[in-house]
Amino acid sequence: MTTERTADLLAKTLRDAIIRFSRRVRQARPVGDLTFSQLSALTSLQLAGALTPRELADMERVQPPTMTKIVGKLEERGLVARTPHPTDGRQVILAATDEGRAVYALHERARNEWLAVELDRLTPEERETLARAAEIMQRVARG
Amino acid sequence: MTTERTADLLAKTLRDAIIRFSRRVRQARPVGDLTFSQLSALTSLQLAGALTPRELADMERVQPPTMTKIVGKLEERGLVARTPHPTDGRQVILAATDEGRAVYALHERARNEWLAVELDRLTPEERETLARAAEIMQRVARG
DNA sequence: CCATGCTCATTAGCTAGGCTAAGTATCGTG
DNA sequence: CACGATACTTAGCCTAGCTAATGAGCATGG
């Protein structure tokens, strides 16, 4: 029972911490920059090399129509290219363009700047705690 | 330099972890339930007892017009009441209604259910790490 | 060999949540 | 008492989520 109670309290604490933290990071976004979601999708794409919309949606934990929108924005800006699947006409292959990779690196850097500065102020132990927490959250999110 | 590099990498890792984690938690929301933001605002209100919109906006790290919207939704549902400030005619006092408190407790519980179950699966050490990370994120968000 | 049913992606249409800029009412002070 | 500052709201915009429905292509069973 103690564990249950702890988990319950932790769930609340964690949610509150995350919502405030996200909003704070969001505020640090320069005008005209890539949004949170766009940057995350672009990152996944680059890491994976190439993905179908469905795969990307699963990876990003959103529904396919949502991913269509996000990819649409990225494509408009020439950062991502859609190419037809070689054998399956229904599917599409998404990949970052050269410009996508370049813009990504730039914006990623700018996006992280505020956060990195803040994190740099922490003690090494605190950073270690956050790194471990990030790993755990990824695992839980993965389900 | 090593610290800077670590902070930079951590910033990216943490962002990715948080965005996926948030989306996963968001998915667990029952239809018709309070949203993430609404629940967070209601929580702050209850903990504080009563707040002005400005105070609540600052606490939730959003701009005042955003808070107007969120509170509007809560008020529509009779969960929050606006009362005039006793001495300052410009200000408004926000407080959770009895129904707000009741509905909050119910929904909070439902909302946490999935997450609490997941967290309960972790080891005590992992939960401890998350708890510590939550505290650190709150501090960073606070600025 | 083709009809039927499944899967993939998109479109349409909705809601919430975030922002800035502008408007309105009130306060407080010179 | 006029005028600047403050508090909240309104208006208008965008992103990001969702579900439901559509259209195109695959695959399979008769």
Side-chain angles (χ1 to χ4, degrees):
Chain A
M1 285 304 132
T2 24
T3 344
E4 229 175 53
R5 188 119 178 48
T6 307
D8 207 60
L9 180 62
L10 177 57
K12 187 166 173 267
T13 308
L14 202 53
R15 269 203 297 98
D16 281 1
I18 282 179
I19 194 169
R20 282 179 184 70
F21 189 81
S22 312
R23 295 207 267 228
R24 189 71 161 78
V25 173
R26 192 182 301 264
Q27 280 175 0
R29 174 163 72 95
V31 177
D33 203 333
L34 295 173
T35 64
F36 223 76
S37 298
Q38 290 167 13
L39 196 51
S40 181
L42 192 50
T43 305
S44 290
L45 260 187
Q46 286 196 216
L47 291 182
L51 293 169
T52 67
R54 161 69 79 186
E55 289 168 338
L56 185 53
D58 285 349
M59 197 164 290
E60 292 287 308
R61 294 241 155 244
V62 296
Q63 294 302 310
T66 300
M67 193 45 70
T68 296
K69 271 195 197 174
I70 295 173
V71 168
K73 296 271 158 56
L74 291 172
E75 203 188 8
E76 264 176 26
R77 298 177 56 168
L79 308 182
V80 160
R82 282 181 167 94
T83 56
H85 190 285
T87 64
D88 188 338
R90 293 167 303 179
Q91 295 187 49
V92 173
I93 304 293
L94 303 174
T97 61
D98 285 347
E99 192 183 346
R101 275 183 285 275
V103 167
Y104 163 79
L106 266 170
H107 287 213
E108 171 71 15
R109 180 144 199 84
R111 196 69 138 77
N112 268 351
E113 204 167 279
W114 168 83
L115 184 52
V117 165
E118 292 295 318
L119 295 177
D120 205 44
R121 287 213 187 101
L122 303 175
T123 67
E125 288 72 30
E126 286 171 334
R127 277 195 295 275
E128 182 57 30
T129 298
L130 288 181
R132 263 203 287 267
E135 190 274 321
I136 297 169
M137 287 190 288
Q138 284 278 18
R139 185 148 37 88
V140 171
R142 214 169 297 128
Chain B
M1 283 304 132
T2 25
T3 345
E4 228 176 52
R5 199 138 164 36
T6 307
D8 206 61
L9 179 64
L10 178 57
K12 185 165 175 269
T13 307
L14 202 53
R15 268 202 297 101
D16 281 0
I18 284 180
I19 194 168
R20 282 181 185 70
F21 189 81
S22 310
R23 295 207 268 228
R24 190 71 161 79
V25 172
R26 191 183 303 264
Q27 280 175 359
R29 173 165 72 95
V31 177
D33 201 333
L34 294 173
T35 65
F36 222 76
S37 298
Q38 289 168 14
L39 195 51
S40 181
L42 192 51
T43 306
S44 290
L45 259 187
Q46 286 197 217
L47 292 181
L51 293 169
T52 66
R54 161 68 80 184
E55 289 167 338
L56 185 53
D58 286 349
M59 198 163 289
E60 292 287 308
R61 295 241 154 245
V62 296
Q63 294 301 311
T66 300
M67 193 43 70
T68 296
K69 272 195 195 176
I70 295 173
V71 168
K73 295 271 160 54
L74 292 171
E75 203 187 7
E76 264 176 26
R77 298 179 56 169
L79 308 181
V80 160
R82 281 180 168 94
T83 57
H85 190 285
T87 64
D88 187 339
R90 293 166 304 179
Q91 295 187 49
V92 172
I93 303 294
L94 302 173
T97 61
D98 285 347
E99 193 183 345
R101 273 183 287 274
V103 167
Y104 163 79
L106 266 172
H107 287 211
E108 172 71 15
R109 179 143 200 85
R111 196 69 137 80
N112 268 353
E113 204 166 280
W114 168 82
L115 184 52
V117 165
E118 292 295 319
L119 293 177
D120 206 44
R121 286 212 189 103
L122 303 176
T123 67
E125 289 72 29
E126 286 171 334
R127 276 194 296 275
E128 182 57 30
T129 298
L130 287 181
R132 261 203 289 267
E135 190 274 320
I136 297 169
M137 288 190 287
Q138 283 278 18
R139 184 147 37 87
V140 171
R142 214 170 296 128

